[in-house]
Amino acid sequence: MSEGVKEENQLYDEINITPMLDLAYVLLVIFIIMTTASVQGVKVDMPKTINIVSLAKPQTRAITITSDGSVYLDAYPVDMATLEQRLSEYKSGNPELPVVLKGDAAAHYEKISEVLDICKKLDITEVGLVTKKLAG
């Protein structure tokens, strides 16, 4: 009987890592879902027009102006100096840099004018204004 007790109390030389791997895979899936869900851009209420032409190009940069006057470049908050610097960098890489300006309908016109002045200063000629199409 003492032999049976000795065999039950022996040290294990193997570790079962299956539960730990299951946990790691679940956490990996959760992190992937959370990071893709959080990168959706900035929500603004766009002005509406009747005709819409798509200006989407592979290297198009989006400048968003919210109703409170915040400015975003490709969904990242920037101030006017940083906006000018980054647009200048993008312009040096692509001389025909297309830019789309997505402003909230309640945005201050002064901010939109400042962004357009920066584009003019950097000689960015392909500037599009994003609007929503009216129903009907």
Side-chain angles (χ1 to χ4, degrees), residues 1-78:
M1 182 158 181
S2 64
E3 283 184 18
V5 172
K6 184 178 179 185
E7 288 179 9
E8 289 178 12
N9 293 332
Q10 286 182 350
L11 296 176
Y12 292 104
D13 59 353
E14 296 177 4
I15 297 175
N16 186 3
I17 61 168
T18 304
M20 185 172 53
L21 289 176
D22 289 344
L23 177 64
Y25 291 140
V26 168
L27 289 175
L28 180 66
V29 169
I30 289 172
F31 288 135
I32 289 173
I33 291 171
M34 293 304 292
T35 55
T36 55
S38 66
V39 182
Q40 294 181 0
V42 180
K43 187 168 180 98
V44 293
D45 181 29
M46 294 179 288
K48 295 167 179 50
T49 60
I50 295 175
N51 295 328
I52 279 191
V53 177
S54 176
L55 297 175
K57 292 186 179 178
Q59 294 186 349
T60 300
R61 298 294 169 187
I63 301 171
T64 306
I65 301 173
T66 61
S67 60
D68 66 350
S70 301
V71 180
Y72 295 83
L73 177 61
D74 294 332
Y76 296 105
V78 293

Side-chain angles (χ1 to χ4, degrees), residues 63 65 80 83 87 99-101 109-129:
I63 301 171
I65 301 173
M80 289 301 170
L83 176 68
L87 284 178
V99 172
V100 292
L101 181 58
Y109 192 73
E110 181 180 341
K111 283 285 187 183
I112 295 172
S113 178
E114 286 180 42
V115 171
L116 290 174
D117 285 343
I118 289 173
C119 290
K120 184 177 180 181
K121 181 179 176 182
L122 296 174
D123 197 31
I124 297 174
T125 57
E126 291 191 40
V127 179
L129 300 176

